[in-house]
Amino acid sequence: MIEGYDIICFSYDWGGDPLSKKHIMQGLSRKNRVLWINSIGNRNPTASARDFRRVLKKLRDFFRGCNIVDENIYVFSPLVIPFHGNALARWINKNFLRWSLRLVCHKLGFRNSITWTFAPSSADVVGTLGEQLVIYHCVDEFSEFTGTHKAAILEMERRLIEKADLVIVSSSALYESKRRYNPKTFLVTHGVEIEHFRNACRAETTVPSDIGSLPSPVIGFFGLIADWVDLELIRFLALSRPRWSLVLIGKLDTDPSPLQGLPNVHLLGRKDYQLLPGYCKGFDVAILPFVVNNLTMAANPLKLREYLAAGLPVVATAIPEVERLDGLLSIGRSYEQFLEKIQALIAEGKVRPQPSISETMECESWDRKIEEMSEIITHHVQSKKVRVAEGKGLSR
């Protein structure tokens, strides 16, 4: 692993569920210092009560300044105007962000840092903070999210890719689309906290009562329930097999009307990350029911490896990163086939967490992925030093 670096990380809000960004930075923080910059947004705000509360929270967090949240991890919540299609707003954001972040870095004693950004909206400020290295880590096709200013996000991302020293992507589709703008683009797929999810296979792990009391078989999903989750597919499964229990765990962020009036569909809400192995233990089969569109075709869902690390049999929608795992899971290419694949697992008794499935994830740990990324960075830094030394030699 790289060590001794000061890393400025643009990402989502620290308090959110642990996604790939948090896993990576927590791993790197064992030997490096990390300044985590809370979300500066990709989506234009609406006049909703939720967005109003978010604005108030951003204001409170900004005035609290920079706070240490874990060993070697500091969190700062900057103020930005979230209208990325507006040139004036972006000019204000660039200058205010640069000023506030330089001030925070000075107070922390950051020098010659690495900027490691997951956010296209950071394009205007990245490269102005005295960094020695800029990494753009792309884990989604951000312009395809609902509510974004697509043209503005695409333009910012392209500039970010072109100015980055290195681009790391999490899926083959993202690799193909981003390397056109930067040849130093590398594919590193997501990892997983194997031992955490493997708890689902252990006898001492308890199944929570809100799922343990449901009729079997329990067909389960966990993650953000947004517009990329195919609720019509869930409805089809629930109506086709009324004796099955369909369980969805996660924050509801889309219209749930397709599921209304279905007594065998259970929306259990968001659960703490630490509790997920217990819920996995209560699943007979895990599912990834995604709508197929430009967003999901480029996605590499983190939960796939988490399901498998938990030892669960999985049925998933046919998107490219699911196809890469073919042989470790079942793929439903239509609603009817999705149902058939689940039915086959149940009929064959291939249900509930199984240690043999968990073992397939042994080479997919976050530690391994961090080492893979560290090797890319180390090679780049060493090559740069060689080029500089050769340049000095030629100038003599």
Side-chain angles (χ1 to χ4, degrees):
M1 181 195 302
I2 57 171
E3 57 182 284
Y5 286 97
D6 292 328
I7 300 171
I8 304 169
C9 174
F10 291 87
S11 190
Y12 67 117
D13 285 354
W14 176 261
D17 290 332
L19 304 178
S20 56
K21 302 98 164 168
K22 185 176 282 190
H23 287 300
I24 292 165
M25 290 300 138
Q26 285 177 322
L28 288 169
S29 71
R30 294 198 294 268
K31 295 185 178 181
N32 305 274
R33 293 197 300 166
V34 176
L35 172 60
W36 177 284
I37 310 300
N38 275 343
S39 173
I40 56 176
N42 289 317
R43 182 179 63 84
N44 290 334
T46 64
S48 67
R50 187 186 75 168
D51 280 359
F52 180 70
R53 290 192 297 270
R54 181 171 171 78
V55 169
L56 290 179
K57 183 179 184 300
K58 285 287 185 185
L59 285 168
R60 288 195 303 269
D61 290 346
F62 172 74
F63 287 109
R64 286 174 184 154
C66 181
N67 298 287
I68 186 164
V69 294
D70 205 344
E71 186 174 0
N72 287 333
I73 300 180
Y74 306 84
V75 172
F76 177 65
S77 190
L79 283 182
V80 295
I81 303 171
F83 293 99
H84 299 297
N86 183 287
L88 178 60
R90 284 169 58 180
W91 182 86
I92 294 170
N93 285 341
K94 174 183 177 180
N95 287 282
F96 187 71
L97 263 175
R98 181 171 57 186
W99 172 79
S100 58
L101 292 178
R102 282 183 168 181
L103 183 61
V104 171
C105 288
H106 177 73
K107 288 181 177 179
L108 293 175
F110 274 34
R111 296 287 186 275
N112 296 318
S113 56
I114 292 176
T115 287
W116 194 314
T117 179
F118 295 90
S121 52
S122 66
D124 289 329
V125 71
V126 163
T128 70
L129 303 173
E131 310 98 312
Q132 62 171 304
L133 184 68
V134 171
I135 300 168
Y136 173 44
H137 197 147
C138 181
V139 298
D140 277 302
E141 197 62 80
F142 292 102
S143 64
E144 297 295 335
F145 280 103
T146 301
T148 61
H149 189 297
K150 183 171 182 176
I153 294 298
L154 284 172
E155 190 271 334
M156 285 189 292
E157 184 183 57
R158 180 165 179 173
R159 284 192 294 109
L160 179 57
I161 293 171
E162 289 174 345
K163 72 164 62 172
D165 296 287
L166 298 169
V167 177
I168 298 173
V169 298
S170 59
S171 75
S172 52
L174 291 173
Y175 176 76
E176 293 301 325
S177 66
K178 309 312 172 191
R179 69 170 178 167
R180 289 179 293 173
Y181 306 113
N182 191 323
K184 292 181 181 178
T185 298
F186 301 87
L187 172 62
V188 181
T189 56
H190 288 324
V192 62
E193 280 199 310
I194 299 169
E195 289 305 316
H196 175 63
F197 283 95
R198 187 168 285 165
N199 284 321
C201 300
R202 298 190 169 109
E204 62 270 23
T205 300
T206 303
V207 176
S209 59
D210 56 352
I211 189 174
S213 59
L214 296 177
S216 293
V218 174
I219 314 303
F221 166 90
F222 66 73
L224 181 63
I225 305 168
D227 56 7
W228 55 80
V229 176
D230 193 344
L231 298 188
E232 292 294 343
L233 172 53
I234 300 294
R235 180 178 179 84
F236 171 79
L237 297 174
L239 291 173
S240 300
R241 294 294 183 272
R243 294 187 179 180
W244 290 1
S245 295
L246 280 296
V247 171
L248 279 70
I249 295 169
K251 178 184 175 184
L252 185 63
D253 199 32
T254 191
D255 178 14
S257 58
L259 306 180
Q260 290 177 355
L262 299 174
N264 59 331
V265 175
H266 307 272
L267 297 168
L268 301 187
R270 180 187 176 277
K271 303 297 179 183
D272 188 88
Y273 179 75
Q274 297 303 319
L275 301 177
L276 290 180
Y279 281 96
C280 288
K281 189 173 182 177
F283 290 178
D284 287 288
V285 177
I287 56 172
L288 184 82
F290 274 12
V291 175
V292 178
N293 58 25
N294 290 338
L295 176 64
T296 60
M297 289 292 284
N300 189 345
L302 183 58
K303 63 184 62 61
L304 278 178
R305 286 170 173 78
E306 292 174 343
Y307 287 160
L308 293 168
L312 285 165
V314 179
V315 179
T317 302
I319 59 175
E321 291 305 314
V322 167
E323 302 276 8
R324 284 167 63 95
L325 294 172
D326 192 14
L328 300 179
L329 45 70
S330 300
I331 301 174
R333 303 181 190 280
S334 66
Y335 282 14
E336 292 75 15
Q337 191 178 61
F338 206 102
L339 175 65
E340 290 168 5
K341 295 289 186 178
I342 298 172
Q343 184 70 65
L345 290 169
I346 294 169
E348 296 168 15
K350 296 178 179 178
V351 295
R352 296 279 173 154
Q354 303 163 38
S356 59
I357 295 177
S358 182
E359 288 168 4
T360 65
M361 291 292 103
E362 285 293 343
C363 294
E364 298 290 316
S365 71
W366 279 118
D367 284 346
R368 282 179 178 259
K369 301 298 180 177
I370 290 169
E371 288 298 338
E372 188 176 345
M373 289 182 274
S374 293
E375 288 175 9
I376 293 168
I377 294 166
T378 299
H379 181 266
H380 175 81
V381 170
Q382 290 175 343
S383 297
K384 187 176 180 179
K385 287 179 179 177
V386 169
R387 291 194 300 272
V388 170
E390 290 175 345
K392 288 181 178 179
L394 291 171
S395 65
R396 288 173 183 168

